[in-house]
Amino acid sequence: MKNWAGNHEYRARRLHEPRSLEEAQETIRGAARIRVLGSRHSFNDLADTSGALITLAGLPRFLNIDPETSSVTVDGAIRYGELCPALHEAGFALHAMASLPHISIAGACATASHGSGDRSSVLSAAVSAMEVVRADGEVVELSREGDRDTFEGAVVGLGALGVVTRLTLDVEPTFNVRQDVYERLPGAAFASHFDEITASAESVSFFTTWRDRAFDQVWLKRRVARSGGATTVPPELYGAPLATR
């Protein structure tokens, strides 16, 4: 079995697929060494082990939106592509999302996956509470309010604290996003105007083929105002023209 990129082959001797929380607890308690297999999007061996792997995909699914607290609680296996349509239908959204829909939310938060812009905090910043099964099989509940000094470290735990079986995430009213693509940003402009460019949108991505001293594309994602208007888009971005579509 390989990861998403195909550059790593897992060496674990066994893959456990529990069908209930109790079965997962028993499996974790009885394992000498165990790691969680999420959506396999990692490009390295972080989620691998010489022991056993466990997947939460077979556990009962859970998705509960609470409008009063502007939060959603989900199971540990849910992916962004599964959660976001339900949130949008209810009139809510996450502050930022992973770039691909198949990425598991628990995995993205545990590894501090980013939001790609000065205005967007990392994906794990949305987590306000979590349920973790420790190595001894016991279930522990942690929260931003109750565990202020240690909570952020627990959220970005890299799987070291246990198996995350539930997460509660902050949500906000749904919003629209527009993306503008600029082409051929000179390398010198990238270096001298980096702070201005990354601050110009909620999400900023640079793409290069490393063949010359220019970035082939710059993607700027901006929120669209509720009135229907959009932020002003400059025809050029420090020497990079706006791509025509």
Side-chain angles (χ1 to χ4, degrees):
M1 180 174 58
K2 295 184 177 182
N3 64 348
W4 178 77
N7 68 320
H8 178 75
E9 187 167 353
Y10 291 90
R11 67 184 189 279
R13 296 190 296 269
R14 184 176 179 184
L15 174 63
H16 295 279
E17 303 178 74
R19 298 296 174 180
S20 66
L21 177 60
E22 293 74 20
E23 186 180 344
Q25 290 177 268
E26 182 180 352
T27 298
I28 296 166
R29 186 184 298 116
R33 185 180 296 273
I34 193 167
R35 299 288 282 180
V36 183
L37 183 69
S39 55
R40 294 182 289 154
H41 192 73
S42 175
F43 292 89
N44 54 47
D45 63 354
L46 176 65
D48 201 1
T49 174
S50 58
L53 291 171
I54 184 172
T55 174
L56 305 182
L59 267 62
R61 309 313 302 270
F62 187 87
L63 196 167
N64 181 60
I65 300 171
D66 188 341
E68 293 188 4
T69 60
S70 295
S71 67
V72 59
T73 301
V74 297
D75 62 82
I78 197 167
R79 305 182 183 206
Y80 283 94
E82 298 169 327
L83 171 61
C84 292
L87 282 179
H88 186 71
E89 185 177 352
F92 292 102
L94 296 170
H95 80 283
M97 296 188 297
S99 58
L100 296 170
H102 69 267
I103 296 175
S104 68
I105 295 175
C109 292
T111 53
S113 294
H114 54 83
S116 297
D118 292 1
R119 302 180 196 172
S120 300
S121 52
V122 293
L123 304 180
S124 59
V127 180
S128 62
M130 58 193 300
E131 176 186 272
V132 182
V133 179
R134 302 186 313 199
D136 60 3
E138 294 300 309
V139 176
V140 177
E141 295 183 357
L142 305 170
S143 70
R144 185 188 295 149
E145 290 299 318
D147 304 276
R148 291 173 181 259
D149 295 335
T150 59
F151 185 67
E152 291 183 358
V155 174
V156 186
L158 301 177
L161 298 183
V163 178
V164 177
T165 49
R166 283 198 182 183
L167 288 172
T168 298
L169 310 168
D170 296 332
V171 296
E172 58 185 88
T174 188
F175 53 89
N176 292 323
V177 175
R178 65 171 290 166
Q179 175 174 281
D180 299 289
V181 178
Y182 292 84
E183 297 179 326
R184 305 297 301 167
L185 175 71
F190 170 81
S192 60
H193 296 284
F194 179 80
D195 289 339
E196 295 98 317
I197 296 173
T198 58
S200 65
E202 273 72 27
S203 176
V204 181
S205 302
F206 301 91
F207 296 91
T208 178
T209 59
W210 303 103
R211 295 174 181 171
D212 52 31
R213 297 181 180 274
F215 285 82
D216 298 89
Q217 292 187 344
V218 181
W219 294 3
L220 302 185
K221 296 183 179 70
R222 299 179 175 93
R223 295 194 183 199
V224 178
R226 287 187 173 277
S227 60
T231 55
T232 302
V233 179
E236 285 199 351
L237 185 75
Y238 304 105
L242 183 66
T244 55
R245 298 297 185 207

